[in-house]
């Protein structure tokens, strides 16, 4: 239970722990957790493929990582073949992984070899590396850092090719254009660079906070009439820290447009974004955004020009634990990352905690606006034994080989995960706390109330909610509180509510007592509770009678109809029993009647006929009545009389109402009347 | 010849919700227009000069919008860090804004950048976030004239046009201070359940508005300091501004959305006489104004009643358009028919569809105390009329079952009420001897009644 819930408030899952799917087939998922370990998971069977701890993992944690593109590796294949024979046959496998660290170095890790390939240090960054991007074709690597510079690396020689100042403040994100000739960088503003000359081509401004993610969303411009120069007309996407909006920008030929073309709203700060590129005009861009609150939002939109309103998601995916029994309520499991599979119709979800994420392939159903998957992760919650192997080497994998790692299903080790390096967490937090936004403050408030609720289920927070609702006269809050059916809860709430809220509560109840009996009966329960619990307080009030006068009058006027209602109720009961009885007899009496007739027929035919006639007469009369009633002017005396009688009775009744003080007399009058009417 | 007197439709006031001048006035706004900003909108300020533009401060930018368009007229984005509190000068020509880095910047509204200067008037109260004591500074002496202790971090301060009263908002409180009496606390209001973030005064000075993180804007009367109206918004409110003559309410929220509501223009058509005689026509002394007697229009049901088509009249008021929207009309007609003694005739002779319509109306309205006496009568009459043919239509039978369930619930509810009345009588009895005697009589009668019921 504790382990299952721990994932939610896990201190180790702040936004932006670097992780990535391997390109092309998404066979692997690389994740650099805050304790300095790099883990590579197989997405197909959710197994740990490799684990690697850089030698300097304590001083320089991994801040970002990027898989090398597959095309590049295919090119590199023969080179490595000379050195190591084992690389044969894995040329199409994702191999190189670039890791940026907090101290400014960049490590290239080879997953095939399971060891460090090379280090890029000399002449590079002297501060935290924020983002790394591989060039698609020429094997170059681009990195940006807190030291305001962007560096172009040659990965073959491990040397700096070029280094230039990217912004006045730290450069937080990079992205290379689809044709490989342009580079987007984001610091305070988003800049588009020409890679050959390293000149700024365009500026974009719009985010208040550092941009955390940048991606191109199209590879062809929407209108194909104009000649395509590789960049004009393309759309790209940007997300920022503390921002719940993803902005979409368009590179235009004229330099006028400075605002975002459109934006997507999500529920929290985005931490992981994946999308399917749209290759033609008609195909919508599919976008999966993982938020800090652990939800995935899916968007599907055809990018065609300006859209003022922020777009909301087509589909939201959440994962929760199954609520077993009474004690454990379903708890959300945070989703860590999501990636589209190559067929664009299913999604790889990574969820759970950072030590042992679960990877699952989920088919997309675009029709449903909200999906909640229920998964039990408690048994695959992986405690990590401290003496575990720090490096798992699986150079050649054959299908029969089984990798034994702690925490795969079936291994239920009871050891709790070792508390991670708190030092680093703290340092990270400090960075985050530099600027406390209002949103964070609000978030903190929310957390506080949540905790309160968890500790003492409901009874403690109900009085608080009630007083809040009464003070601000908030309809929703009051509804939530007052519409409980739990008598015990009502009693405890009334008991714990502050005294000054009693009179406002009574006034609120007065308003609500006039409604439908379904809801009003709940309000009476509240009223009774208040009167019994706070009787002594109420009796000390000097102006009690004027305060409760309206309430009293209201109730009195309502109960005036009690007698008549009871009377009506009696009639209705009789009517309904008749209906049910007649339904029963309908089924049974038909053959019985026949039998009777047959019996009498033998004795005297005329008598039977008479009886039959009588029967029919009755029926005719009924029908006559009906027919006459349908006419506007009714002449039948019987009916008139009946109606008159009724009216007189009613008038009597009304008189009684008016003379409410003489109710005693009314009582005595009514009884004989009742009898007469029931006749 | 006596004319036909139309049926008087009784209106029954609903208890609790009072419609005042204020609710009418403040409800008279159009549907809001939403504008997306780049960050939480921390300040909205209207220019006091026509064309009444307003400046919106959100994250590191200031936008200036016009009254009618949703596109910014002008944007100032020269801030290195978060901007605060962009405010117009009295003449609407200069804009002053504070910033996170501590500088105060002054902009010319025509777009020329003025450079760093000192503030010309004391606007930047909220430029630094935590005043425990809000200070009032005299611009001439540069000294603190007066200081009052609010008790919570002050979010917003507002000076009345007369300068005599100061309103401060902080925590969940709105406090009003008398400046002339040396900072005496006049009123302390606690009508929000979360922090109050912004204050605003209506153009007449008669109403005070406060916006809060609990997503509400409340309107207070400045004479009684009672809440006279409240608006609901979708997100926590950070800033609030009212245009000249209350024509627009602009609210900025934490999710970066700016909501703008315009007043529905009140346009009175000129009187008929203006068209005939011209605008400047004045009545001469010996002219006699003769009003043409206005033609009386009878409602359709009244016309039916006048011609004694009682069933048809009842049919008309049982039409869904009438019976759902204005049940009081239907009830009044039923009452009138009952008074005439023809209710039974009007109700009789209906087929399954019509009778189920009547029953539907009963089911919907029987539990309302204002209609109950009339409708109970009608229900009894229906039962009496249709008792012989009961059981022939399952639809009607089902309706009767529903009605029975409803009546049963109402009876249960009233029984509970009677018990509660007993309790209250006890309470009142303990109050004072004088009142207790009168109330006790009620008590006895009620209890008697209840006992009787239980026995029967």
């Amino acid at each position: 239970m504790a382990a299952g819930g721990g994932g939610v408030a896990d201190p180790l899952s702040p936004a932006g722990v670097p992780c990535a799917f391997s390109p092309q087939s998404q066979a692997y998922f690389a994740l650099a957790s805050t304790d300095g370990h790099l883990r590579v998971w197989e997405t197909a069977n959710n197994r740990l493929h490799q684990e690697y701890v850089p030698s300097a993992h304590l001083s320089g944690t991994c801040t970002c990582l990027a898989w090398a593109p597959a095309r590049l590796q295919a090119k590199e294949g023969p080179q490595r073949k000379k050195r190591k024979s084992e690389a044969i046959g894995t040329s199409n496998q994702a191999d190189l992984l670039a890791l940026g660290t907090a101290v400014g170095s960049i490590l290239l890790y080879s997953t095939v070899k399971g060891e460090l390939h090379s280090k890029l240090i000399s002449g590079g960054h002297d501060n935290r590396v924020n983002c790394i991007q591989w060039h698609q074709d020429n094997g170059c690597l681009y990195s940006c850092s807190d030291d305001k510079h962007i560096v172009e690396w040659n990965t073959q020689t491990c040397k700096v090719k070029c280094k230039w100042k990217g912004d006045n403040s730290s450069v937080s994100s990079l992205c290379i254009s689809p044709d490989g000739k342009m580079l987007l960088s984001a610091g305070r503003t988003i800049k588009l660079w020409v890679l050959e000359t390293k000149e700024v081509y365009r500026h974009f401004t719009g985010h208040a906070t550092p941009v955390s993610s940048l991606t191109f969303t199209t590879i062809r411009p929407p209108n194909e009439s104009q000649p395509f120069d590789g960049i004009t007309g393309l759309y790209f996407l940007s997300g920022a820290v503390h921002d719940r909006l993803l902005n979409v920008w368009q590179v235009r030929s004229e330099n006028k447009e400075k605002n975002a073309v459109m934006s997507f709203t999500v529920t929290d700060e985005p931490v992981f974004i994946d999308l399917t590129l749209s290759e033609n005009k008609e195909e919508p861009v599919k976008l999966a955004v993982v938020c800090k609150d652990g939800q995935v939002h899916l968007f599907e939109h055809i990018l065609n020009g300006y859209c003022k309103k922020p777009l909301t998601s087509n589909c939201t995916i959440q994962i929760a634990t199954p609520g077993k029994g009474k004690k454990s309520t379903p708890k959300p499991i945070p989703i860590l990352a999501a990636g589209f599979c190559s067929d664009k119709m299913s999604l790889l979800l990574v969820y759970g905690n950072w030590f042992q994420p679960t990877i699952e392939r989920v088919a997309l159903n675009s029709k449903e606006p909200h999906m909640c998957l229920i998964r039990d992760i408690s048994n695959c919650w992986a405690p990590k034994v401290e003496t575990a192997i720090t490096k798992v080497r699986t150079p050649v994998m054959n299908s029969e080989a089984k990798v034994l790692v702690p925490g795969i299903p079936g291994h239920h080790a009871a050891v709790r995960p070792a508390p991670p390096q708190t030092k680093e967490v703290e340092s990270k937090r400090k960075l985050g706390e530099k600027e406390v936004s209002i949103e964070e403050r609000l978030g903190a408030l929310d957390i506080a109330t949540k905790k309160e609720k968890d500790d003492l289920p409901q009874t403690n927070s109900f009085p608080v909610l009630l007083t809040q609702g009464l003070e601000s006269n908030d309809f929703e809050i009051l509804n939530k509180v007052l519409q409980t059916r739990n008598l015990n809860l009502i009693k405890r709430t009334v008991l714990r509510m502050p005294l000054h809220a009693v009179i406002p509560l009574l006034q609120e109840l007065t308003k609500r007592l006039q409604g439908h009996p379904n809801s009003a009966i709940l309000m009476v329960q509240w009223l009774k509770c208040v009167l019994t619990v706070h009787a002594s307080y109420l009796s000390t009030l000097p102006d009690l009678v004027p305060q409760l006068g309206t309430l009293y009058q209201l109730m009195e006027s309502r109960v005036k109809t009690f007698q008549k209602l009871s009377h009506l109720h009696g009639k209705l009961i009789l009517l309904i029993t008749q209906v049910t009885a007649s339904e029963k007899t309908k089924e049974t009496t038909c053959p019985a009647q026949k039998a009777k007739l047959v019996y009498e027929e033998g004795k005297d035919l005329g008598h039977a006929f008479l009886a039959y006639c009588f029967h029919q007469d009755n029926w005719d009369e009924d029908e006559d009545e009906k027919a006459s009633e349908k006419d506007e002017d009714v002449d039948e005396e019987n009916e008139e009389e009946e109606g008159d009688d009724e009216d007189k009775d009613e008038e009597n009744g009304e008189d009684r109402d008016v003379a409410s003080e003489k109710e005693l007399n009314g009582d005595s009058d009514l009884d004989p009347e009742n009898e007469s009417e029931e006749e | 010849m006596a004319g036909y007197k139309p049926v008087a439709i009784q209106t029954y006031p609903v208890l609790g919700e009072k419609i005042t001048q204020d609710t009418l006035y403040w409800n008279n706004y159009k549907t809001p227009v939403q504008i997306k900003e780049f960050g939480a909108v921390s300040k909205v300020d209207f220019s006091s000069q026509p064309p009444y533009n307003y400046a919106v401060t959100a994250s590191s930018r200031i936008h200036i919008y016009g009254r009618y368009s949703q596109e910014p007229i002008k944007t100032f984005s020269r801030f290195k860090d978060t901007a605060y509190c962009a405010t117009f000068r009295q003449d609407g020509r200069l804009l002053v804004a504070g910033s996170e880095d501590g500088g105060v910047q002054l902009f010319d509204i025509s777009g020329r950048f003025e450079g760093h200067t000192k503030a010309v008037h004391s606007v930047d109260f909220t430029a630094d976030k935590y005043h425990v004591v809000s200070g009032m500074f005299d611009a001439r002496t540069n000294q603190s004239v007066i200081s009052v202790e609010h008790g919570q971090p002050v979010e917003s301060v507002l000076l009345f046009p007369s300068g005599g009263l100061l309103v401060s908002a902080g925590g969940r409180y709105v406090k009003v201070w008398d400046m002339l009496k040396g900072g005496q606390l006049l009123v302390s209001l606690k009508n929000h359940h979360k922090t109050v973030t912004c204050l605003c005064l209506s153009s007449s000075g008669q109403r005070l508005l406060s916006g809060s993180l609990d997503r509400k804007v409340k309107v207070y009367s400045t004479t009684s300091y009672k809440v006279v109206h409240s608006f609901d918004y979708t997100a926590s409110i950070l800033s609030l501004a009212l245009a000249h003559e209350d024509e627009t309410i602009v609210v900025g929220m934490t999710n970066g959305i700016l909501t703008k509501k315009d007043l529905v223009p009140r346009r009175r058509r000129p009187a008929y006489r203006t068209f005939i005689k011209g605008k400047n026509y004045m009545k001469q002394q010996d002219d006699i104004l003769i009003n043409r007697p206005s033609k009386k229009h009878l409602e359709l049901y009244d016309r039916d009643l006048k011609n004694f088509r009682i069933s048809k009249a009842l049919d008309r008021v049982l039409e869904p358009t009438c019976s759902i929207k204005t049940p009081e009309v239907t009830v009044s007609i039923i009452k009138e028919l009952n008074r005439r003694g023809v209710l039974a005739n009007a109700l009789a002779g209906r087929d399954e569809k019509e009778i189920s319509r009547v029953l539907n109306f009963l089911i919907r309205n029987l539990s309302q105390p204002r209609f109950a006496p009339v409708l109970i009568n009608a229900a009894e009459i229906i039962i009496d009329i249709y008792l012989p043919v009961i059981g022939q239509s399952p639809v009607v039978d089902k309706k009767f079952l529903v009605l029975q369930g409803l009546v049963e619930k109402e009876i249960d509810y009233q029984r509970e009420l009677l018990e509660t009345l007993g309790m209250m009588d006890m309470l009142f009895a303990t109050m004072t001897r004088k009142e207790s005697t009168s109330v006790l009589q009620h008590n006895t009668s009620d209890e008697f009644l209840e006992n009787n019921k239980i026995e029967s």
Side-chain angles (χ1 to χ4, degrees), chain B residues 246-264:
Chain B
D246 300 344
E247 273 167 344
T248 313
I249 299 181
V250 181
V251 163
M253 294 184 275
T254 47
N255 57 1
I257 285 176
L258 191 73
T259 308
K260 183 180 136 193
K261 277 187 192 174
D262 285 321
L263 200 63
V264 176

Side-chain angles (χ1 to χ4, degrees), chain A residues 443-615:
Chain A
L445 280 176
D446 276 350
I447 288 163
T449 50
K450 230 184 195 174
K451 269 184 186 167
E452 224 171 62
K453 266 184 196 167
D454 280 355
D455 291 340
L456 280 170
Q458 294 203 318
T459 44
N460 197 23
S461 59
F462 254 57
V464 177
L465 268 182
L466 181 64
T467 39
Q468 280 191 349
L470 287 172
E471 269 163 12
S472 67
N473 211 353
D474 193 308
F475 195 69
E476 279 170 32
I477 296 179
L478 285 174
N479 262 354
K480 198 176 156 194
V481 175
L482 292 177
Q483 282 172 358
T484 46
R485 291 177 183 277
N486 188 347
L487 271 182
N488 219 353
L489 186 63
I490 293 176
K491 205 168 275 176
R492 270 184 281 172
T493 308
V494 171
L495 209 65
R496 288 174 195 196
M497 68 188 269
L499 278 183
H500 64 83
V502 169
I503 290 294
L505 177 62
L506 285 178
Q507 278 160 358
E508 183 61 33
L509 288 176
T510 312
K511 257 187 240 168
R512 283 162 185 259
L513 273 176
Q514 320 170 60
H516 195 270
N518 271 348
S519 59
I521 202 152
L522 290 173
M523 301 304 133
V524 181
Q525 300 302 340
W526 278 93
L527 186 61
K528 272 180 156 180
C529 261
V530 172
L531 289 179
T532 46
V533 172
H534 294 290
S536 48
Y537 165 72
L538 285 172
S539 60
T540 55
L541 286 178
D543 54 344
L544 180 68
V545 177
Q547 287 275 21
L548 300 186
T550 41
L551 180 60
Y552 192 88
Q553 278 166 9
L554 183 97
M555 286 159 62
E556 220 174 24
S557 68
R558 185 131 186 185
V559 297
K560 260 179 204 164
T561 52
F562 187 74
Q563 285 189 346
K564 284 176 134 193
L565 263 180
S566 311
H567 189 207
L568 178 67
H569 191 222
K571 278 190 173 182
L572 277 168
I573 286 175
L574 190 69
L575 192 96
I576 280 153
T577 46
Q578 268 191 7
V579 169
T580 47
S582 71
E583 268 173 15
K584 274 182 192 168
T585 48
K586 250 185 205 168
E587 293 158 5
T588 54
T589 51
C590 284
Q593 242 179 356
K594 250 184 195 171
K596 245 182 204 172
L597 271 172
V598 170
Y599 185 71
E600 280 187 286
E601 210 172 47
K603 213 177 180 186
D604 187 356
L605 206 136
H607 194 80
F609 183 66
L610 254 180
Y612 177 69
C613 276
F614 181 64
H615 213 80

Side-chain angles (χ1 to χ4, degrees), chain A residues 168-379:
Chain A
N168 285 329
S169 60
S170 64
V171 185
S172 55
S173 192
L174 287 178
C175 181
I176 294 171
S177 72
D179 66 343
K181 286 176 184 154
M182 300 275 190
L183 174 74
L184 273 177
S185 77
R188 187 167 294 287
T189 59
I190 302 174
K191 285 177 184 171
L192 185 63
W193 304 84
V194 181
L195 274 183
E196 267 182 40
T197 56
K198 312 285 186 288
E199 278 172 341
V200 178
Y201 183 64
R202 288 280 185 278
H203 271 293
F204 302 92
T205 44
H207 283 286
T209 45
V211 175
S212 59
S213 49
L214 273 177
T215 334
F216 271 96
T217 55
T218 44
I219 58 173
R220 299 282 312 164
N223 50 346
E224 282 142 9
S225 57
Q226 294 167 3
F228 180 50
D229 62 350
I231 191 72
T232 307
L234 288 192
Y235 289 93
F236 65 91
L237 187 81
S238 67
V241 178
H242 299 319
D243 199 347
R244 275 173 288 193
L245 283 169
L246 294 168
N247 282 337
V248 179
W249 312 79
Q250 191 179 20
V251 184
R252 304 226 169 136
S253 50
E254 72 274 19
N255 204 358
K256 281 177 193 167
E257 188 63 47
K258 287 206 164 176
N259 287 334
V261 182
M262 64 178 89
S263 52
F264 299 105
T265 48
V266 289
T267 50
D268 207 339
E269 184 184 333
V271 292
F272 193 93
I273 297 172
D274 195 43
L275 50 80
T276 64
L277 292 172
S278 82
E279 269 137 28
N280 54 27
K281 209 169 159 186
E282 287 80 23
E283 191 185 352
V285 172
K286 285 184 180 175
L287 180 69
V289 184
V290 182
C291 290
K292 209 174 173 182
D293 58 359
Q295 295 183 15
V296 175
H297 297 278
L298 297 178
F299 297 90
E300 204 166 309
H301 190 76
I302 300 172
L303 294 166
N304 49 0
Y306 191 68
C307 180
K308 198 187 289 171
K309 275 187 187 167
L311 300 168
T312 49
S313 65
N314 290 3
C315 177
T316 305
I317 304 177
Q318 279 179 306
I319 299 183
T321 58
K324 286 174 287 183
K326 277 183 183 176
K327 279 182 183 174
S328 63
T329 48
K331 289 197 173 162
I333 303 171
I335 300 174
L336 310 175
F340 282 102
C341 296
S342 44
D343 60 348
K344 298 187 180 182
M345 288 312 294
S346 50
L347 199 64
L348 277 174
L349 290 181
V350 183
Y351 57 88
N353 68 332
W354 291 111
F355 298 116
Q356 171 83 43
T358 315
I359 302 170
E360 190 184 320
R361 199 182 170 117
V362 178
L364 286 181
N365 183 4
S366 56
K367 278 166 194 165
E368 265 181 67
H370 199 97
M371 279 167 74
C372 190
L373 310 172
I374 291 172
R375 298 287 181 269
D376 195 0
I377 57 160
S378 55
N379 59 349

Side-chain angles (χ1 to χ4, degrees), chain B residues 223-244:
Chain B
T223 45
S224 64
Y225 291 103
K226 290 259 165 60
V227 177
V228 291
H229 192 72
S230 90
F231 298 102
D232 280 350
Y233 284 91
T234 51
S236 300
I237 294 162
L238 286 182
S239 53
L240 164 74
L242 266 183
H244 173 73

Side-chain angles (χ1 to χ4, degrees), chain B residues 393-440:
Chain B
S393 147
V395 181
V396 176
D397 291 348
K398 204 177 260 175
K399 290 273 183 300
F400 273 117
L401 246 165
V402 174
L403 188 65
Q404 193 256 337
L406 180 79
V407 171
E408 196 169 356
K409 261 181 204 153
E410 178 73 20
I411 285 175
D412 284 346
Y413 172 56
Q414 295 198 357
R415 192 167 290 141
E416 293 274 340
L417 278 184
L418 281 169
E419 284 175 20
T420 321
L421 276 175
M423 284 183 188
M424 290 177 76
D425 283 334
M426 277 283 286
L427 265 182
F428 289 163
T430 52
M431 277 295 294
T432 49
R433 199 146 297 280
K434 234 191 226 171
E435 279 162 339
S436 68
T437 46
S438 63
V439 174
L440 260 177

